Amino acid sequence: MGAAVDGCFACQVILMDDLVADAMTTSRLVELACISLDRVFGGLPASALDGRAAGPTSFEFRRLARAGLYDAGAVYTECALMKPLSGALPRTLRSTR
């Protein structure tokens, strides 16, 4: 998400709510991100999987990447359990749609 709207946190938040509402799209996005990481680094780095490893990857992404590591279908299940973030964000960062 950050790569798509780099530098616009508010844009990321708005788009994140849209992704959470669509588990299939979110799952596919995580899958494509993992494929890209694998190609660039020759495997998934610890910072993409381990919640304790240092790195810029969010806890949520790591959770989804770990779920799909050996069972791609598990990512879809995990995505379906996700909740929108907007209710927990300051009013200035919430979607106005």
Side-chain angles (χ1 to χ4, degrees):
M1 182 61 66
V5 286
D6 192 29
C8 180
F9 180 72
C11 300
Q12 293 175 27
V13 169
I14 291 166
L15 292 172
M16 195 65 69
D17 280 350
D18 291 342
L19 281 176
V20 170
D22 185 353
M24 295 299 273
T25 299
T26 303
S27 301
R28 183 67 177 138
L29 182 62
V30 170
E31 179 183 16
L32 292 172
C34 288
I35 290 169
S36 296
L37 285 170
D38 182 58
R39 286 183 181 161
V40 170
F41 295 110
L44 292 176
S47 63
L49 298 169
D50 184 352
R52 296 165 295 179
T57 313
S58 73
F59 172 78
E60 292 81 7
F61 178 87
R62 292 173 195 218
R63 183 173 55 82
L64 295 173
R66 273 194 313 271
L69 195 56
Y70 302 107
D71 178 7
V75 176
Y76 295 97
T77 302
E78 289 294 321
C79 287
L81 298 173
M82 293 173 70
K83 305 266 188 282
L85 300 171
S86 62
L89 295 169
R91 188 188 230 325
T92 56
L93 296 180
R94 290 189 202 153
S95 172
T96 56
R97 292 183 283 166

